[in-house]
Amino acid sequence: MTLGKARPRPARALLALTIGLALCAGTATAQSAPSDNATINLVRLLVKRGVLTQADADGLIAQADAEAAQARKQEGTANAAPAKPGEVRVTYVPEVVRNQIKDELRQEVVAQAKEEHWAEPGKLPEWLDRIQWTGDMRFRDEFHYFDKGNLPAINFAQLNRTGPYDISGNNVNLPPLLNTNENRTNSLRIRARLGVNVDLGDTVTAGIRIGTGDDNNPVSTTQTLGGGLVKKNVWLDQAWLAWKPTDWAEVIGGRMPNPFMSTDLLYANELNFDGLAGKFTVPVNDSLGTFATVGMFPIEYQADDFPSNIPTKQASRDKWMTGAQVGGSWKFDDDIVWKLALAYYRFDHMQGKLSSPCSIYLGQTICDTDATRSAYMQKGNTVFLLRDIVPDPNNPTNYAQPQFVGLVYDYHVANATTQLDMKVADTPLRLEGDYVRNMAYHSRDVYSPEHLGRVANNFDAGDAADAPYKSGPVGWMFRATLGDVNPHAAGDWNVMLAYKYLQPDATLDGLADPDFHLGGTNAKGFILGGSYGITKYAWLSARYFNAREVFGPPLSIDVFQLEMNARF
């Protein structure tokens, strides 16, 4: 046993040593022998190994010698006086009994030493047994191909991040634009995530995970290589506490993995949720189980002092998502399992609001509804110009009009998700279906007074003022995966075929898959992919996304990805 420094003495071990010393003292008394025996040697060995200090060892030996002397004195008194009725005196302990007591004490001390890891060479402390490390890595080569018939498109997400953008004739600069024509090939990217899950008792667990990422967007932890060979960013990807008071109920708070059964039609695979969720799983019988999930998740808080340069502060418009899902799982036999879930997700205060008259020409730089623009967008949702800018009376036909954009619609999303796992010729086959509909979508909203003449996208041909406006609230997906969905051994494989259809305002574009059509909504097309396991912990993957717009100007984008993945 190798010890770097003295460890605290376990109480039970000290008790065992004390009893051992007492036995030795008793033996010495009975046999009139010195106390320098095996037990004393054990004490000296424990001092040498750092389990006891020299002062504690000297104290125990002195105590044993004193008790031995007292025992000899009492023995003489006892021999002189007769025993009282009911009193039993033992002046000699047989060797077999002493050996039995020593064996029992030795077993008890060794068992405690193993449990507490203070007497096993190379053994880690007990608290490390409650920690589970997880992680994964991915190296990707990615290719983007744009159809030459695509028309230019404004990057409204960047406009909101870096704007406002002056839409007046005075501005000779174009607004931020998406790349719609120039191919991008051999973009090398990585993803690295490292997490730890901690057992905090019978019912409480915690998890923390860090991950890479080009920025703090919520839908991807992919990091692009290059950039002058600079070091890469690391973000806090998850941080949660979970309490499971019963086998069928769990409460999770913090930044957590997606607690709902869903597909990447609605939420990106890497999307995590900030907030509080409750998960309930109630089995009915051996073949039927039910589950439910409820949660509330803050999307964005409005600053207490917004707007900072106007005495009258804006009423709170904190943005929240609340969700509820119920579902069931049916096991028809060992090879056939069917799951079905129905959910409703309500996003509050996501809709943009037209500002009060805003006097930019007088130097006003913040309008009172600027905070109603989305904190994170991709592309697809219908947007409108947020600011009601007052014309400059000195130049009523040519004045600055710096604008942000906000969402035209609310989003109250109904979702039905199903998954069927089965086998075909002993090969796993998974069939998935997903349907979403924005129940808050009303086409007449785009013609309301605050939106009329201010809508900025989703016209049939370009952004011409007389082009017909087109949008919709529906999305659906079908996917089939043949083979092992998640390869866990060398030689495991799968092939996948899917079709997605997602109208512009079926759901929030900021939370959707960032790979299909390079993110957002207003997209339809096929996905083809496959994976092959090369070891138990590593596999190769390839995916091809063929997507184009549902409504509006032509925007066809093909994405091809080659990957090597690993988990540990």
Side-chain angles (χ1 to χ4, degrees):
M1 178 175 68
T2 302
L3 298 172
K5 60 181 180 179
R7 299 176 182 266
R9 301 186 309 272
R12 299 175 67 89
L14 286 179
L15 178 60
L17 290 174
T18 303
I19 294 175
L21 288 172
L23 286 174
C24 291
T27 303
T29 301
Q31 300 177 354
S32 299
S35 63
D36 190 7
N37 52 29
T39 303
I40 300 302
N41 291 335
L42 174 60
V43 173
R44 291 169 179 165
L45 179 60
L46 290 176
V47 172
K48 182 179 180 181
R49 296 300 189 188
V51 177
L52 291 175
T53 65
Q54 184 63 53
D56 289 338
D58 293 342
L60 287 173
I61 294 173
Q63 180 182 353
D65 290 340
E67 290 176 354
Q70 181 67 25
R72 285 192 294 269
K73 180 178 180 181
Q74 291 177 351
E75 181 182 1
T77 304
N79 291 336
K84 298 179 181 178
E87 181 180 7
V88 178
R89 293 177 177 171
V90 179
T91 58
Y92 173 73
V93 179
E95 183 176 1
V96 63
V97 176
R98 295 199 306 271
N99 291 338
Q100 181 180 357
I101 294 174
K102 286 191 294 183
D103 288 341
E104 290 177 354
L105 290 173
R106 184 183 301 110
Q107 292 173 8
E108 186 174 356
V109 172
V110 169
Q112 184 183 5
K114 289 183 177 180
E115 180 180 354
E116 298 179 359
H117 306 324
W118 54 270
E120 294 183 65
K123 191 70 174 180
L124 296 175
E126 175 273 337
W127 60 269
L128 287 178
D129 291 341
R130 297 184 283 109
I131 293 179
Q132 178 185 8
W133 293 93
T134 63
D136 60 78
M137 294 184 63
R138 180 180 70 199
F139 174 72
R140 172 189 290 176
D141 193 2
E142 187 164 329
F143 305 78
H144 301 166
Y145 298 102
F146 301 90
D147 191 277
K148 296 306 179 183
N150 292 344
L151 294 180
I154 296 176
N155 188 340
F156 292 106
Q158 184 177 340
L159 187 152
N160 272 353
R161 287 195 304 269
T162 61
Y165 171 74
D166 186 1
I167 65 172
S168 73
N170 292 328
N171 192 350
V172 297
N173 297 314
L174 292 174
L177 298 175
L178 294 168
N179 175 23
T180 59
N181 296 110
E182 295 299 327
N183 296 338
R184 294 290 185 263
T185 60
N186 284 314
S187 296
L188 300 182
R189 297 178 172 176
I190 60 169
R191 182 188 71 183
R193 300 182 297 189
L194 180 63
V196 57
N197 295 333
V198 185
D199 180 2
L200 300 176
D202 293 337
T203 62
V204 180
T205 55
I208 297 175
R209 188 173 75 181
I210 57 176
T212 54
D214 281 332
D215 52 41
N216 64 347
N217 80 77
V219 295
S220 176
T221 52
T222 299
Q223 175 79 56
T224 302
L225 298 177
L229 305 183
V230 297
K231 294 184 288 293
K232 308 308 175 187
N233 296 326
V234 175
W235 306 86
L236 180 63
D237 192 38
Q238 292 181 6
W240 50 266
L241 286 167
W243 176 44
K244 193 171 184 178
T246 69
D247 291 338
W248 53 269
E250 183 178 23
V251 180
I252 309 172
R255 180 167 176 81
M256 69 192 77
N258 181 356
F260 300 99
M261 177 183 170
S262 64
T263 72
D264 55 14
L265 176 72
L266 186 59
Y267 300 127
N269 288 330
E270 296 182 20
L271 178 68
N272 293 303
F273 285 71
D274 299 348
L276 178 68
K279 302 181 68 174
F280 309 91
T281 305
V282 181
V284 178
N285 53 44
D286 292 340
S287 60
L288 175 62
T290 62
F291 59 88
T293 304
V294 295
M296 51 188 301
F297 311 95
I299 303 294
E300 184 182 358
Y301 291 111
Q302 180 174 297
D304 289 344
D305 61 349
F306 181 83
S308 61
N309 64 341
I310 299 176
T312 303
K313 303 305 177 184
Q314 182 71 21
S316 174
R317 284 186 56 85
D318 294 341
K319 300 173 183 178
W320 285 80
M321 168 193 160
T322 52
Q325 183 179 67
V326 294
S329 175
W330 293 264
K331 184 176 182 180
F332 297 98
D333 58 39
D334 291 340
D335 295 333
I336 303 178
V337 179
W338 178 40
K339 293 181 180 180
L340 174 66
L342 303 175
Y344 186 77
Y345 306 104
R346 180 186 175 96
F347 295 90
D348 290 318
H349 295 157
M350 299 302 298
Q351 186 181 34
K353 293 297 181 183
L354 183 63
S355 74
S356 303
C358 194
S359 302
I360 300 296
Y361 73 95
L362 294 178
Q364 188 172 345
T365 59
I366 299 177
C367 300
D368 59 3
T369 62
D370 285 356
T372 66
R373 70 187 190 275
S374 295
Y376 177 72
M377 300 170 56
Q378 295 189 83
K379 62 179 185 292
N381 289 162
T382 303
V383 296
F384 75 104
L385 304 177
L386 275 179
R387 291 175 163 183
D388 183 11
I389 298 175
V390 176
D392 183 352
N394 297 320
N395 194 358
T397 60
N398 191 9
Y399 56 94
Q401 301 178 54
Q403 283 286 0
F404 290 114
V405 296
L407 300 177
V408 168
Y409 300 103
D410 277 325
Y411 294 87
H412 302 163
V413 180
N415 178 224
T417 306
T418 187
Q419 176 182 299
L420 177 64
D421 287 297
M422 56 189 298
K423 284 190 175 181
V424 177
D426 289 330
T427 301
L429 173 64
R430 172 173 291 183
L431 303 177
E432 297 173 271
D434 205 359
Y435 176 84
V436 298
R437 183 180 182 89
N438 179 12
M439 307 303 291
Y441 175 89
H442 304 287
S443 58
R444 64 180 181 272
D445 289 350
V446 77
Y447 303 110
S448 65
E450 66 177 335
H451 299 142
L452 192 62
R454 309 181 71 87
V455 175
N457 65 340
N458 290 335
F459 298 103
D460 240 3
D463 292 329
D466 58 348
Y469 168 78
K470 289 289 186 69
S471 186
V474 172
W476 55 272
M477 182 192 75
F478 176 78
R479 178 162 54 207
T481 305
L482 181 65
D484 297 287
V485 176
N486 299 303
H488 281 85
D492 284 357
W493 59 272
N494 67 58
V495 292
M496 178 271 294
L497 177 65
Y499 184 83
K500 274 188 183 183
Y501 178 88
L502 195 58
Q503 292 180 339
D505 293 296
T507 186
L508 283 173
D509 65 31
L511 305 183
D513 179 11
D515 296 323
F516 185 72
H517 206 231
L518 291 184
T521 60
N522 193 21
K524 61 182 179 181
F526 290 93
I527 308 170
L528 179 64
S531 299
Y532 182 79
I534 53 178
T535 72
K536 181 178 180 181
Y537 303 105
W539 67 100
L540 303 174
S541 296
R543 280 184 298 274
Y544 173 66
F545 303 84
N546 173 268
R548 57 172 298 175
E549 80 289 345
V550 177
F551 302 122
L555 184 58
S556 296
I557 305 174
D558 293 346
V559 177
F560 183 54
Q561 298 171 342
L562 291 172
E563 297 178 349
M564 182 173 182
N565 299 269
R567 60 174 170 262
F568 49 89

